[in-house]
Amino acid sequence: MSVHEIEVTINGKKYREQVESRMLLSDFLRETCGLTGTHVGCEHGVCGACTIHLNGSAVRSCLIFAIQVDGQEITTVEGLTKDGELTLLQRNFIECHGLQCGFCTPGILMSTTDYLQKNPNPTLQEIKEMLSGHLCRCTGYEGIIKAIQKTIDESNLNYEAERR
Amino acid sequence: MKPAKFDYYCPKTVDEALSLLEEIGFDGKIIAGGQSLVPIMNMRLATPECLIDINQLNDLQFIELDGSKMKIGALTRQAEIEMSDAVRKHLGLLSEAVPYIGHVQTRNRGTFGGSLVHADPSAEIPLSLMTLGGTLHIASKDEVREVNVEDFFVTYLTTDIMPNELLTEIHIPLPEGRVGYSFHEISRRHGDFALVAAACQLSIDSQDRISKVRLVLGGVDAVPLLITEASELMEGEYLSASLLNKIADIVDEVVNPESDLHATADYRRHLAKKLAVRTVKTAYERARGENNECS
């Protein structure tokens, strides 16, 4: 009972693979599927580097076994871009110097993307609380927060423009 | 860090899960959200022979108003509780406490029932349920039994639940009348384990006298600590500075905190007194309609 076949949709593509039950989803994504954008840091749910979307919600992939996502839908950082175009949030990370070494960046992008979909207009305090699920040791979070705020401003402008 | 080998089962119905539990017994461990279990498996502090994954049991995922009580399925995600309008309207204490659990990314996966059966003495959901009161419905192949929350927590990480049993749902009475509540917690950083947490829910009569009150402290003993002496002292009284001082004295006497890397026992005792007074005061003000700010 310890090796199983699973089928998962990742970034719109189907993967059918054999996995041992103890394989973490983070390792499955990186080693079996070759999607190394998902980073592995602490492996006990603290650092947030491995955050992905499972059925549309940001979760830690190091705290889920690959076997548990049989039949489900996953998005990794590789799946954020549309037709090779970076998202507004990704562009603003570049613009506002929201990253230095980049190790924590994929997880933060995944969490923030999900969060802004559910809370399009968060306060600074709410942004900080959402980011508390991620450890970044380079930037002191200033650039990251600016990138997120800029994205909120610009999306709201777009929203306003659409309404007009 | 990687977990040790285990066999994996994924039942599709509650009955199937209960049969598996009966068969596997002590070698099995239920996994729901996994936000506490998987870290300890990754560190090999836990090496269960078998995991029984209950994530497919959609019947256990609900928030439902039923007359004078709220029913919550054990598999309901913490983030769903956080976002629920019904919970905010009827069990405000829970809406106030849940955002303190870990981070939004862990609450998306972590479950209401999982936090209760894991029974971390500093965890927010056990503390809140102890404050709100209610019953836990625990199923095995042969029966469903109801356990009052006061009898559920045994000691550190230990509850009144057997290896062949499954927590299915939790029933919480809706508070009535002029009610106020408050939850406070001190941790080293937002999302960390609480050094000390406190919760209070109380009702007052038409003259503003306290008619019913529950004050509970977390992180100061092996289980969420219901301060019954404080309730006895407060019932029938108006809240006053001298009453609050007496509550602080009681808390000082009954808490039994331990020292660790993060805080000494003395500091935890100090926090327990301050937070007890703060939650009672805020709850009373809210019951009188004076303080509706979330704090």
Side-chain angles (χ1 to χ4, degrees):
Chain A
M1 279 299 281
S2 71
V3 176
H4 306 252
E5 187 169 271
I6 59 169
E7 189 179 283
V8 196
T9 307
I10 308 171
N11 304 329
K13 185 180 156 193
K14 275 205 162 49
Y15 293 75
R16 182 184 281 276
E17 302 287 348
Q18 299 263 328
V19 294
E20 220 186 309
S21 51
R22 66 172 174 160
M23 181 176 246
L24 297 171
L25 178 56
S26 44
D27 292 331
F28 174 76
L29 293 170
R30 291 176 58 84
E31 291 167 19
T32 310
C33 307
L35 295 165
T36 52
T38 300
H39 291 172
V40 172
C42 70
E43 287 193 334
H44 60 270
V46 175
C47 79
C50 69
T51 303
I52 52 124
H53 294 178
L54 174 61
N55 303 324
S57 282
V59 294
R60 308 280 200 246
S61 62
C62 76
L63 297 186
I64 296 175
F65 296 107
I67 174 93
Q68 295 187 281
V69 301
D70 186 20
Q72 300 186 44
E73 207 153 300
I74 283 173
T75 307
T76 66
V77 71
E78 289 91 343
L80 282 185
T81 54
K82 296 270 175 297
D83 309 321
E85 282 279 309
L86 294 181
T87 64
L88 184 59
L89 181 68
Q90 287 173 311
R91 290 202 301 275
N92 284 332
F93 260 68
I94 298 171
E95 193 117 329
C96 303
H97 307 288
L99 69 165
Q100 282 188 30
C101 85
F103 190 82
C104 67
T105 312
I108 295 182
L109 289 172
M110 298 314 286
S111 283
T112 309
T113 302
D114 174 33
Y115 190 76
L116 292 184
Q117 271 164 9
K118 291 168 184 162
N119 309 274
N121 216 356
T123 62
L124 175 61
Q125 184 59 27
E126 285 168 339
I127 294 172
K128 286 182 176 175
E129 283 177 9
M130 183 273 295
L131 282 176
S132 74
H134 292 272
L135 297 183
C136 163
R137 307 182 77 155
C138 303
T139 72
Y141 297 91
E142 285 302 314
I144 297 170
I145 291 168
K146 274 189 201 138
I148 295 173
Q149 285 182 316
K150 190 160 184 275
T151 306
I152 294 164
D153 290 346
E154 289 172 2
S155 332
N156 286 346
L157 281 179
N158 288 342
Y159 178 64
E160 291 292 319
E162 270 169 34
R163 282 209 305 187
R164 272 186 233 120
Chain B
M1 292 174 283
K2 309 295 174 192
K5 283 187 178 180
F6 57 83
D7 288 339
Y8 175 85
Y9 300 89
C10 188
K12 300 283 183 286
T13 64
V14 173
D15 280 347
E16 203 186 317
L18 295 175
S19 299
L20 270 168
L21 282 170
E22 198 69 42
E23 209 176 290
I24 295 168
F26 278 98
D27 290 338
K29 182 88 190 143
I30 294 168
I31 184 167
Q35 303 299 287
S36 300
L37 178 61
V38 183
I40 59 178
M41 286 178 70
N42 287 356
M43 291 185 258
R44 303 251 179 145
L45 296 170
T47 53
E49 297 269 307
C50 306
L51 279 193
I52 300 164
D53 184 349
I54 60 165
N55 279 290
Q56 308 284 323
L57 307 185
N58 298 329
D59 289 357
L60 301 187
Q61 203 166 353
F62 58 86
I63 299 171
E64 205 177 281
L65 266 179
D66 181 12
S68 61
K69 58 177 179 278
M70 178 93 75
K71 297 177 174 178
I72 301 181
L75 193 64
T76 307
R77 307 285 167 193
Q78 291 155 4
E80 288 173 50
I81 309 236
E82 186 178 356
M83 258 124 46
S84 160
D85 291 334
V87 172
R88 187 164 302 112
K89 187 168 169 211
H90 298 285
L91 300 174
L93 176 68
L94 209 46
S95 303
E96 193 161 287
V98 168
Y100 286 93
I101 305 171
H103 311 287
V104 60
Q105 301 85 352
T106 48
R107 297 194 293 275
N108 277 339
R109 185 77 179 162
T111 65
F112 190 65
S115 175
L116 288 167
V117 295
H118 185 60
D120 190 305
S122 65
E124 290 80 4
I125 288 175
L127 177 69
S128 304
L129 190 63
M130 186 65 98
T131 313
L132 294 165
T135 54
L136 297 100
H137 290 230
I138 296 168
S140 64
K141 206 164 177 297
D142 305 320
E143 59 161 359
V144 177
R145 62 189 180 100
E146 289 181 31
V147 179
N148 286 330
V149 62
E150 291 86 350
D151 303 321
F152 184 66
F153 302 104
V154 178
T155 182
Y156 292 103
L157 310 179
T158 308
T159 59
D160 176 19
I161 191 163
M162 298 303 290
N164 66 335
E165 290 181 320
L166 176 71
L167 173 64
T168 52
E169 54 190 84
I170 297 94
H171 294 189
I172 307 174
L174 303 184
E176 285 171 4
R178 300 173 72 201
V179 180
Y181 61 83
S182 177
F183 180 94
H184 278 288
E185 148 174 340
I186 302 290
S187 58
R188 295 199 313 156
R189 204 177 38 166
H190 178 81
D192 279 6
F193 287 105
L195 296 176
V196 174
C200 177
Q201 181 165 282
L202 55 77
S203 334
I204 56 175
D205 66 17
S206 54
Q207 267 83 50
D208 290 358
R209 277 185 302 243
I210 297 169
S211 47
K212 204 176 157 197
V213 56
R214 280 167 83 93
L215 169 65
V216 186
L217 293 168
V220 293
D221 211 323
V223 297
L225 194 62
L226 179 64
I227 317 288
T228 47
E229 299 87 342
S231 308
E232 285 160 16
L233 190 74
M234 282 187 266
E235 274 163 18
E237 303 287 331
Y238 300 98
L239 195 66
S240 63
S242 74
L243 192 58
L244 287 171
N245 282 337
K246 284 184 199 159
I247 292 165
D249 290 342
I250 287 174
V251 168
D252 191 35
E253 223 168 273
V254 299
V255 298
N256 187 26
E258 289 187 16
S259 294
D260 62 19
L261 264 182
H262 306 309
T264 62
D266 278 351
Y267 180 50
R268 285 198 161 92
R269 185 179 299 275
H270 166 80
L271 288 179
K273 287 194 282 186
K274 292 285 179 195
L275 292 187
V277 166
R278 199 180 293 171
T279 50
V280 169
K281 198 164 169 281
T282 310
Y284 187 75
E285 284 167 1
R286 284 181 178 171
R288 293 182 56 179
E290 289 169 351
N291 180 352
N292 292 316
E293 299 281 304
C294 273
S295 51

